[in-house]
């Protein structure tokens, strides 16, 4: 399985290649940033402040809230933000919850 912790920084091209596989892409930018700068295709927007709660939701509740199947702890997940700081925090949160 792929662990983003092993490759904390990806280029956009690497991300595009990864998305051809079964990786879940979570964009942790705020909703206003998505509105202003645009959504990355096939990503789920879960603002960083909601992430810990979201990753602990009941899978049905997650699907209802984010319109996407909740990742299992063994699913490959990639986080992104604008500059990289929040995505590193998101990775830390996810790993502390047993993802990766």
């Amino acid at each position: 399985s792929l662990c983003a912790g092993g490759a904390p920084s990806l280029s956009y091209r690497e991300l595009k290649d990864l998305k051809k596989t079964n990786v879940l892409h979570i964009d942790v930018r705020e909703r206003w940033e998505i509105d202003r700068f645009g959504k990355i295709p096939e990503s789920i927007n879960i603002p960083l402040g909601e992430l810990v709660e979201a990753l602990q939701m009941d899978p049905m509740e997650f699907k209802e809230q984010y319109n996407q199947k909740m990742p299992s702890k063994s699913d490959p997940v990639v986080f992104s933000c604008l500059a990289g700081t929040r995505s590193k925090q998101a990775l830390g949160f996810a790993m502390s919850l047993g993802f990766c």
Side-chain angles (χ1 to χ4, degrees):
S1 77
L2 170 79
C3 176
S9 296
L10 294 170
S11 69
Y12 183 67
R13 180 176 293 277
E14 288 169 320
L15 177 61
K16 278 180 72 171
D17 288 344
L18 262 182
K19 289 174 79 149
K20 292 175 188 165
T21 67
N22 201 23
V23 70
L24 177 66
H25 176 199
I26 299 177
D27 186 339
V28 296
R29 293 179 294 162
E30 295 298 321
R31 288 186 176 84
W32 69 265
E33 291 176 282
I34 304 290
D35 293 342
R36 184 168 175 192
F37 301 111
K39 182 180 187 306
I40 299 170
E42 288 123 41
S43 66
I44 306 175
N45 175 231
I46 306 176
L48 185 62
E50 295 176 22
L51 185 67
V52 171
E53 183 182 340
L55 293 178
Q56 297 179 84
M57 280 180 172
D58 172 80
M60 296 288 285
E61 191 181 347
F62 185 95
K63 173 102 171 119
E64 204 172 283
Q65 175 88 18
Y66 299 106
N67 201 28
Q68 179 83 29
K69 180 182 168 286
M70 182 172 177
S72 76
K73 293 193 175 180
S74 61
D75 286 343
V77 179
V78 171
F79 298 98
S80 68
C81 62
L82 197 59
T85 304
R86 288 173 288 179
S87 56
K88 286 188 178 107
Q89 284 181 280
L91 178 61
F93 291 156
M95 290 175 77
S96 74
L97 292 170
F99 285 82
C100 239

